[in-house]
Amino acid sequence: MSIKLIMDDKEISVDEDFTLLEAARENGIDIPTICFHEATTSNALCRICVVEVEGQRVLQPACIVKAADNMKVQTRSEKVIRARKTILEMLASTMDLSESAEIQKMIQEYGADVNRFPDAQRRESEVKDDNPMYIRDYSKCLLCWRCVQVCADDAQYTFAINFDGRGYETQIGTFFERTIPETSCVLCGQCVAVCPTGALKPKREFLLEQGMSPQEISVLNTGRKRRK
């Protein structure tokens, strides 16, 4: 069964089970996303996809709110633009977004001032290099939850990682701070594939960026001695 609603002053018809994000994409309307991924459950954590729904007091996250018959939605109202811009500014002030091309593009599009909050405490973390497949740099992590979800019941059912800590100290971690080889991780790489910021990165890519040659990396992986 289909329903009709107004989105950006245009009447559209969509399936009744669609979210507002799905309705927008089905009709060529762009709504930015960060924590949303088609392979994971939507949890509306980042709020970059908020839209203005007539009759609602606060902005609504398009990734989880269902479209409804006769609903009137604005995806780029002044209130929406201001909210997205502020979210981007807060993210930029507290973490390293240098390797997130999509978010950098959003910052430019919304004219976000990355220096708006100069006194903000930045998330700093040492690079965790404890397994042969990937590195973890949580200075770049925005807690989108994608990696946790694919490791859990959205895909792998391994449950090797989860949220650790509370409040501002929250970050992705392993149970009892175990190294990756000590967890139930099977090194499938799905967490790396869904990471939007480079917080999780293939080990080979990381080592190449550090100046190592492919031959040196190959020797590391096999344990062979390098010929002089």
Side-chain angles (χ1 to χ4, degrees), residues 150-180:
V150 294
C151 188
D153 49 12
D154 272 354
Q156 194 63 29
Y157 287 85
T158 303
F159 300 93
I161 54 177
N162 207 331
F163 279 135
D164 182 37
R166 292 176 178 273
Y168 191 81
E169 302 302 322
T170 302
Q171 69 173 23
I172 305 300
T174 60
F175 292 101
F176 304 109
E177 299 184 356
R178 302 278 188 177
T179 63
I180 290 299

Side-chain angles (χ1 to χ4, degrees), residues 1-198:
M1 180 178 175
S2 64
I3 59 173
K4 291 183 179 181
L5 65 151
I6 305 296
M7 185 169 285
D8 292 344
D9 301 320
K10 173 185 175 183
E11 184 177 87
I12 61 175
S13 179
V14 298
D15 189 275
E16 64 177 348
D17 292 327
F18 273 26
T19 63
L20 291 176
L21 179 61
E22 291 172 321
R25 291 184 171 181
E26 183 79 4
N27 289 274
I29 299 172
D30 178 57
I31 295 179
T33 59
I34 297 178
C35 69
F36 173 83
H37 191 283
E38 293 178 352
T40 63
T41 302
S42 300
N43 289 296
L45 295 178
C46 73
R47 299 284 166 153
I48 202 72
C49 71
V50 291
V51 295
E52 189 167 7
V53 178
E54 186 175 281
Q56 297 292 323
R57 182 176 61 84
V58 297
L59 298 178
Q60 302 295 307
C63 66
I64 62 170
V65 173
K66 294 290 187 179
D69 208 27
N70 299 317
M71 182 181 277
K72 293 183 179 180
V73 182
Q74 290 292 329
T75 70
R76 296 187 68 88
S77 68
E78 181 181 348
K79 189 175 181 180
V80 167
I81 296 297
R82 185 168 61 249
R84 292 176 184 166
K85 180 179 177 181
T86 301
I87 289 170
L88 291 168
E89 290 170 339
M90 289 191 293
L91 286 174
S93 68
T94 57
M95 60 173 292
D96 180 0
L97 295 172
S98 61
E99 296 191 43
S100 180
E102 287 299 316
I103 298 179
Q104 291 293 337
K105 183 178 178 182
M106 291 181 202
I107 289 173
Q108 293 182 356
E109 178 183 352
Y110 287 91
D113 179 4
V114 297
N115 298 309
R116 181 180 174 186
F117 304 108
D119 297 325
Q121 181 180 348
R122 294 189 65 83
R123 298 175 61 85
E124 300 291 348
S125 176
E126 293 184 0
V127 174
K128 297 181 185 296
D129 180 5
D130 59 6
N131 70 87
M133 297 300 293
Y134 61 92
I135 60 95
R136 297 178 287 153
D137 182 0
Y138 292 132
S139 296
K140 297 183 175 70
C141 176
L142 50 71
L143 302 174
C144 69
W145 211 356
R146 289 186 188 182
C147 61
V148 173
Q149 290 175 292
V150 294
C151 188
D153 49 12
D154 272 354
Q156 194 63 29
Y157 287 85
T158 303
F159 300 93
I161 54 177
N162 207 331
F163 279 135
D164 182 37
R166 292 176 178 273
Y168 191 81
E169 302 302 322
T170 302
Q171 69 173 23
I172 305 300
T174 60
F175 292 101
F176 304 109
E177 299 184 356
R178 302 278 188 177
T179 63
I180 290 299
E182 293 177 306
T183 70
S184 54
C185 176
V186 294
L187 301 177
C188 68
Q190 294 191 70
C191 59
V192 181
V194 298
C195 179
T197 63

